[in-house]
Amino acid sequence: MIVGEAPGFNEDRQGEPFVGAAGKLLDTLLARIGLSRGDVFITNVLKCRPPMNRDPMPNEAESCSPYLKRQLELVQPKVVLILGRHALERLMPGQGSITRVHGTMAKRGDVTYVPLYHPAAALHNGSLVADLEHDFDRVKAYLEALLAPPPPPPPPAPVAPPKQEAEQLRLL
């Protein structure tokens, strides 16, 4: 599951998350680890675009939180990629800046959360693309380990045949 901040202009018009330039970068990053949009559920903290594309207000995120909570319950993801600082603050409050925690993995119950730079931030600051690629590579390694089939069980230990008791013979 991937959770972003809020719909942008293109997303708001088309009714789909990550369809603009940031979406193209996200598609490239997913392809890098062998996934496509069809393999993941993509959503946002805010379900509608803030006026003039400003940062989400805390009360707006709070108003949308029941919807995000329900999406998490329905999807039951094993891994949630958190894109950007606003999604980070909503899903993992008090963790610090995205610059400090990007690429780390935090297990909460059955779900592993991975904060990442938002693809839009990487489009504005090209130096973040390499960090995103590296972080996605770590996600790939984690998913491969998580989804790997369990090793076959060891062969059963040989069972020794039961010892036969010596039979007492009678002389008389």
Side-chain angles (χ1 to χ4, degrees):
M1 182 173 192
I2 297 174
V3 180
E5 173 186 314
F9 177 78
N10 292 314
E11 290 82 5
D12 196 43
R13 291 189 87 156
Q14 296 181 35
E16 287 185 50
F18 289 92
V19 293
K24 286 182 178 44
L25 177 55
L26 181 60
D27 289 343
T28 300
L29 292 165
L30 287 171
R32 177 184 182 92
I33 64 171
L35 296 174
S36 70
R37 281 179 180 264
D39 299 319
V40 297
F41 181 82
I42 304 173
T43 190
N44 285 302
V45 169
L46 258 60
K47 305 307 177 190
C48 58
R49 184 172 189 248
M52 299 178 45
N53 206 31
R54 64 166 165 67
D55 287 348
M57 304 294 286
N59 64 327
E60 293 169 330
E62 189 60 37
S63 295
C64 293
S65 67
Y67 299 103
L68 180 57
K69 181 180 179 198
R70 185 68 179 138
Q71 287 174 318
L72 286 162
E73 290 169 357
L74 290 171
V75 174
Q76 296 181 351
K78 294 289 184 204
V79 178
V80 175
L81 304 182
I82 302 170
L83 302 182
R85 63 186 172 98
H86 295 289
L88 174 64
E89 188 54 39
R90 177 57 43 194
L91 292 170
M92 296 176 65
Q95 293 299 305
S97 73
I98 192 74
T99 303
R100 188 175 64 80
V101 299
H102 75 89
T104 62
M105 297 185 187
K107 188 116 171 140
R108 303 246 167 101
D110 293 336
V111 182
T112 300
Y113 292 89
V114 186
L116 302 166
Y117 288 118
H118 195 288
L123 292 174
H124 287 84
N125 179 354
S127 67
L128 299 181
V129 173
D131 288 333
L132 261 175
E133 289 173 341
H134 174 73
D135 293 346
F136 265 79
D137 290 343
R138 290 192 67 225
V139 169
K140 179 181 182 177
Y142 178 77
L143 288 173
E144 286 173 347
L146 181 70
L147 301 174
V159 178
K163 284 188 174 182
Q164 292 205 351
E165 296 285 322
E167 187 178 330
Q168 176 71 38
L169 299 175
R170 292 182 182 204
L171 290 176
L172 295 173

